[in-house]
Amino acid sequence: MNYTAPMLTLPATAEAFGTPSSAQAWLLNGTPLGLAALLLVAGALADAHGRRRVFLLGTLALGVTTALGAFAGTTALFTAARIAQGAASAAILAGSLGLLADAYPSGRDRIRATGVWGASVSAGIALGPLLAAVLSLADWRLAYLALGAATLATAVTGARTLTPPRTGGGGGPASTPTGSGGGPAPSPERTADTLAPERTAGTPAPSPERTADAPAPSPAGRAGGGGRPDLAGATTLALALGALLTALTLGRDGWLRPAVGVLLLASAVLLALFVAVERRRKDPMIDLGLLRRPAFRASTVGALFTGLAVIGLFSVLPSLLMRGQGVAPLAAAGLFVLWSGTSFVVALQARRLAGRISAPYQLALGFVLSAAGVLPLLGTVEAPAVPWPRLMAGLVVAGAGSGLLNAALPRLAVDSVPPERAAMGSGANNTARYIGSAAGVALMLALSATDPDTAFAASAALALAGAALTVAGSPRR
């Protein structure tokens, strides 16, 4: 919800701050920039210091920074608050999928849980703009105050309900604590925020010594080097992404301008430097050797193109309709809910495909459906009147594709890495997704400045490219 709320408040926010069109991408891109820069660090810290602890600290920080964003008075301050919200969200995402991997080590329970996780993402995407549209009728700042308060309430609830660590001091065996009233504590196999249901036959239970807040075993199997954050890697990645976003933002005024070329070159150099830093470290925040795994490559490529092709376009679609067709904010929110609501329903039902189609091919199907849904949107923004049937049909088809993507990505992210690197896997997956979404938002805004149909066509082409690259090298099933 926090991520998508600015999609409906963008016109009012830009007017309040006097933000020029060329800089409005930053009002949307602050959060994905913070997410992309720190997700890998958050994953390493979650593996090293405990996924529950990182998740709760991230939730608390998100509540505070979201509320502070409501009091920003300039574009720069609002963007800074959004970057901080992205950093906090990084801790939440990395910690939450790690907690899920602890509670559901494998089998049908994990498939069901990751499907619910993906559906929850879709639900939040849907409800964020709707909440923002309703509250912005009074004042757009109310949306951020409400989201901040709700997030702080979530942090309090999580602190009370998530299972605390039960390991003994000094790294010894788990102690035997008592529950409330002096009774026995829950079984060590009942971890994370959900008490795991009965497991299918042959599904191993998690080790009693590995709880939601226990560090990942063995330094060789974990990023983070005892919890030391990879600041050099995080800095070079953030600078590379910042240079790329600036280049894409400036591109709307001319792609052949010298500044655009210099920034793109700087982004490429900084990305190469990031790879060099990670290769030299004994405790990198991302083990580049994981890219040798076909499933991990499919997960990473799928996440990157989900951001570029899907999140990038649908982040700017509401503002395109409001400006191009004069659609009211509540109507734009309703259309967005149609897309994301369809995504929510499909993500919940996608578990039925688990035994019939592999996750990489589910991703490919999601991309194809997304492209098929975007093509009917051509001509809708500049038509004499809003072609409602065609617009709504396209949103339903694209939403179904998004649901398949949201269900497959978290499952593939944790299944494609060793169990002790589940947080690293989720961090890498979501980093790729938000690098793609940040670049996608800037690209779609730049392309739509002259012709919205160019943005629609680019989104469809990128989705088809994502489908082809995701299945490349994947085993056929």
Side-chain angles (χ1 to χ4, degrees):
M1 292 178 70
N2 176 276
Y3 184 90
T4 56
M7 297 176 189
L8 266 294
T9 64
L10 178 61
T13 306
E15 182 180 357
F17 297 151
T19 309
S21 299
S22 59
Q24 288 181 16
W26 289 108
L27 298 176
L28 294 175
N29 270 338
T31 293
L33 177 59
L35 275 161
L38 291 178
L39 262 171
L40 291 172
V41 172
L45 291 176
D47 281 341
H49 291 292
R51 295 153 187 180
R52 174 183 179 272
R53 181 179 296 115
V54 169
F55 174 80
L56 290 177
L57 288 174
T59 306
L60 177 63
L62 179 61
V64 172
T65 54
T66 301
L68 290 176
F71 298 102
T74 65
T75 300
L77 288 177
F78 184 81
T79 301
R82 294 291 291 173
I83 292 173
Q85 291 160 36
S89 299
I92 294 173
L93 287 174
S96 64
L97 271 178
L99 286 169
L100 186 149
D102 285 338
Y104 302 96
S106 61
R108 290 185 177 275
D109 289 339
R110 174 176 284 188
I111 293 171
R112 185 179 299 112
T114 52
V116 171
W117 190 95
S120 299
V121 171
S122 298
I125 289 172
L127 293 175
L130 188 60
L131 175 69
V134 172
L135 295 181
S136 65
L137 294 176
D139 191 333
W140 64 267
R141 298 177 187 271
L142 291 177
Y144 299 97
L145 288 173
L147 288 171
T151 307
L152 290 174
T154 301
V156 173
T157 302
R160 293 177 176 176
T161 58
L162 289 178
T163 305
R166 293 184 295 277
T167 53
S175 60
T176 310
T178 58
S180 59
S187 164
E189 295 162 3
R190 315 278 276 184
T191 59
D193 57 329
T194 307
L195 298 180
E198 293 297 323
R199 293 174 174 81
T200 56
T203 302
S207 168
E209 286 82 10
R210 181 73 180 103
T211 64
D213 251 4
S218 85
R222 163 191 104 222
R228 295 190 303 272
D230 182 3
L231 295 180
T235 301
T236 52
L237 181 62
L239 291 174
L241 181 56
L244 175 62
L245 296 183
T246 304
L248 294 175
T249 301
L250 294 177
R252 64 182 293 152
D253 295 325
W255 295 102
L256 299 180
R257 296 170 59 193
V260 175
V262 170
L263 286 166
L264 289 175
L265 178 61
S267 179
V269 171
L270 287 165
L271 183 60
L273 182 60
F274 167 75
V275 172
V277 168
E278 296 305 290
R279 287 187 182 279
R280 291 177 62 87
R281 284 185 64 95
K282 295 181 180 179
D283 51 355
M285 62 182 180
I286 174 63
D287 181 0
L288 298 177
L290 293 173
L291 291 172
R292 300 189 188 99
R293 295 171 171 249
F296 184 79
R297 287 200 304 271
S299 170
T300 305
V301 170
L304 178 67
F305 277 83
T306 295
L308 278 171
V310 180
I311 301 175
L313 175 66
F314 286 93
S315 294
V316 304
L317 181 60
S319 62
L320 290 179
L321 292 172
M322 285 189 290
R323 288 171 175 168
Q325 287 285 8
V327 174
L330 276 178
L335 290 171
F336 194 86
V337 168
L338 177 63
W339 171 74
S340 52
T342 303
S343 178
F344 172 78
V345 173
V346 171
L348 277 180
Q349 298 302 317
R351 66 180 185 274
R352 303 178 188 276
L353 297 174
R356 304 174 185 177
I357 183 173
S358 67
Y361 281 81
Q362 182 177 322
L363 289 176
L365 178 59
F367 280 125
V368 171
L369 286 176
S370 181
V374 167
L375 290 177
L377 304 183
L378 291 169
T380 56
V381 173
E382 296 183 335
V386 180
W388 292 105
R390 179 157 56 96
L391 179 60
M392 295 172 69
L395 291 174
V396 169
V397 175
S402 175
L404 292 177
L405 295 171
N406 284 337
L409 283 172
R411 172 161 61 100
L412 195 56
V414 295
D415 284 350
S416 63
V417 297
E420 67 273 12
R421 293 192 175 184
M424 177 187 283
S426 68
N429 183 273
N430 282 295
T431 294
R433 183 194 295 236
Y434 290 111
I435 286 175
S437 66
V441 166
L443 178 63
M444 297 305 164
L445 282 174
L447 293 176
S448 63
T450 54
D451 184 3
D453 283 351
T454 305
F456 294 141
S459 172
L462 286 169
L464 294 176
L469 292 173
T470 297
V471 300
S474 299
R476 294 185 178 276
R477 284 186 53 186

